[in-house]
Amino acid sequence: MDEKPRLRQLDFQPVYHQGEQMWYLRDPLELSGEQLVMPPALAQLLLFCDGSHTPQEIHAAFCRQIGQPLDFAITEQALAQLDAACLFDNERARQALARQQEEFRSQPFRVPALADLSYPANPHQLTMMLAEYGRADQLNGWQPWRGRAIISPHIDYQRGGKVYSKVWRRAQTAVLEADLVIILGTDHNGGAGTFTLTRQPYATPYGVLPTDTELVDTLAAAIGEEAAFAEELHHRREHSIELSAVWLHYIYQQAGVEPKPMVPILCGSFHHFVMNGHHPAEDELLGTAVTTLQRATAGKKVLTVASVDFAHVGPAFGDDYIMDDTRRAALRQADHNLVQAIIRGDAASFYDQIAAVEDRNKVCGFSSIYLMLRYLQGSEGIQVAYDHCPADDEDHSLVSIAGILLE
């Protein structure tokens, strides 16, 4: 048992177990095969697992918190289970992390996490499904587009398939003519302002998309190996890059050409910037990452993809209101204003609009879009798609998505 246990960064999710409400302690890194659920009363002892209390002090504080004395064995057993599941920031968790990183990096490629879950693993069936999303989309008069960047959703294909199709079909020429594709995806479990790389190539049902490991090495050397790869295991399960990578590979497959190199980058949360009054423009790591990327890709024909969703609003996302017609209209206007900033290539305005309302619409592409705009250093473009996707059975919650092409 640690002298002063400290919980790692976890995701606490309310669940029902045997008819009772419990807390599921989800580990984003999945360092252990164990899944722990705790009753609400017992979960209160986690408040004191902050690295400043001994087990005895945790027990005493826990008893005071719930207002009754308990046997120390209850606290001791709970702490032992947390430790066994690698949920404490200690040597056991660090060894598990090192083992799993080594296992991930030793694989020939990053295995598709959503194949046969969110889309068919069979390439023929996948092609039929992706083609169907574009069947009603008329490209009459559309001229070959050779722009520099696109914004694509990362919501599931069942809800966002038509928006994906409108973006990627119109970006086909740019995809095929690019020397390099950079995909900036939302890291849903990412730490504050992280910029997470991997040297692992992403596989899809069509084969393997090669990674530009030389560029990855250049970026890692600039921001430091620790910063670049500390959360690399998030690539293992994160869907944001994968769902755009499949469409990218589909374009190559349909054209019958070998895919060009890709660099997958997961972008962490900007919540701390919004809440503490700091700004990502002043962040040394992110600034170094962006300028290094600019220098290293100068002279190359690069297509940059922000694989993102926009608002997440309604009861399903913790809001105390339903998305009625009035709120939906207001959201369309708020999203329109964000899109206009994107189309102008105005990273500062894009950031400021979200920060001004403390990201109340929970824009899932906040960091990825902002960093893409910084990388592009000015752009102009067009919106080709926009939609509200239901997020609960009552249609009281929604996710907004958009498709944008940037010159």
Side-chain angles (χ1 to χ4, degrees), residues 54-70:
T54 65
Q56 290 76 14
E57 290 168 344
I58 290 172
H59 178 69
F62 172 48
C63 290
R64 288 194 300 271
Q65 177 77 10
I66 63 173
Q68 67 180 94
L70 295 173

Side-chain angles (χ1 to χ4, degrees), residues 59-348:
H59 178 69
F62 172 48
C63 290
R64 288 194 300 271
Q65 177 77 10
I66 63 173
Q68 67 180 94
L70 295 173
D71 192 319
F72 176 64
I74 294 175
T75 297
E76 193 173 37
Q77 182 181 14
L79 295 176
Q81 288 182 310
L82 292 164
D83 189 30
C86 298
L87 299 185
F88 288 134
D89 183 5
N90 60 15
E91 188 58 31
R92 182 196 296 271
R94 285 187 283 275
Q95 289 180 2
L97 174 62
R99 285 194 301 271
Q100 296 206 26
Q101 283 178 329
E102 183 178 355
E103 179 183 340
F104 177 65
R105 292 166 182 169
S106 67
Q107 295 174 344
F109 47 77
R110 183 259 190 201
V111 176
L114 297 179
D116 272 344
L117 294 174
S118 191
Y119 57 83
N122 178 284
H124 177 66
Q125 293 174 357
L126 176 60
T127 294
M128 289 177 61
M129 184 183 81
L130 299 185
E132 182 62 30
Y133 289 132
R135 195 167 304 283
D137 179 24
Q138 299 300 318
L139 290 177
N140 297 340
W142 180 260
Q143 297 300 310
W145 180 80
R146 294 179 166 86
R148 296 191 294 151
I150 69 174
I151 287 182
S152 170
H154 65 225
I155 200 168
D156 56 273
Y157 297 159
Q158 286 68 30
R159 289 182 288 174
K162 291 182 179 179
V163 174
Y164 278 100
S165 183
K166 285 183 177 180
V167 176
W168 287 96
R169 291 181 76 210
R170 285 160 178 76
Q172 178 178 349
T173 300
V175 168
L176 297 177
E177 293 183 357
D179 302 319
L180 170 71
V181 178
I182 298 169
I183 301 185
L184 298 166
T186 301
D187 190 346
H188 290 86
N189 297 306
T194 50
F195 192 87
T196 300
L197 306 173
T198 184
R199 297 182 178 95
Q200 287 297 92
Y202 271 60
T204 79
Y206 299 122
V208 177
L209 292 163
T211 294
D212 186 337
T213 53
E214 183 178 345
L215 179 52
V216 172
D217 290 344
T218 300
L219 287 165
I223 66 175
E225 290 271 331
E226 173 63 23
F229 299 109
E231 298 185 354
E232 183 184 8
L233 283 182
H234 291 182
H235 278 275
R236 206 167 41 167
R237 299 279 184 264
E238 176 55 65
H239 63 272
S240 61
I241 292 175
E242 176 176 340
L243 290 174
S244 281
V246 168
W247 279 89
L248 171 68
H249 212 164
Y250 170 66
I251 298 295
Y252 291 128
Q253 189 266 349
Q254 289 296 101
V257 300
E258 290 296 312
K260 300 294 177 58
M262 181 180 97
V263 173
I265 302 169
L266 288 176
C267 305
S269 172
F270 273 10
H271 180 74
H272 63 302
F273 291 127
V274 170
M275 302 313 294
N276 67 21
H278 294 166
H279 197 288
E282 302 162 359
D283 186 89
E284 183 178 355
L285 184 147
L286 295 177
T288 299
V290 170
T291 55
T292 302
L293 200 55
Q294 289 166 341
R295 286 197 304 268
T297 59
K300 292 184 178 179
K301 192 167 182 56
V302 180
L303 179 68
T304 308
V305 180
S307 186
V308 300
D309 295 333
F310 280 72
H312 290 62
V313 286
F317 304 107
D319 294 319
D320 59 0
Y321 54 79
I322 67 171
M323 292 302 294
D324 57 19
D325 290 345
T326 301
R327 289 189 181 276
R328 288 170 186 264
L331 177 62
R332 285 191 187 91
Q333 185 60 52
D335 282 346
H336 172 77
N337 294 341
L338 288 178
V339 169
Q340 292 308 302
I342 293 167
I343 287 173
R344 295 194 307 271
D346 192 342

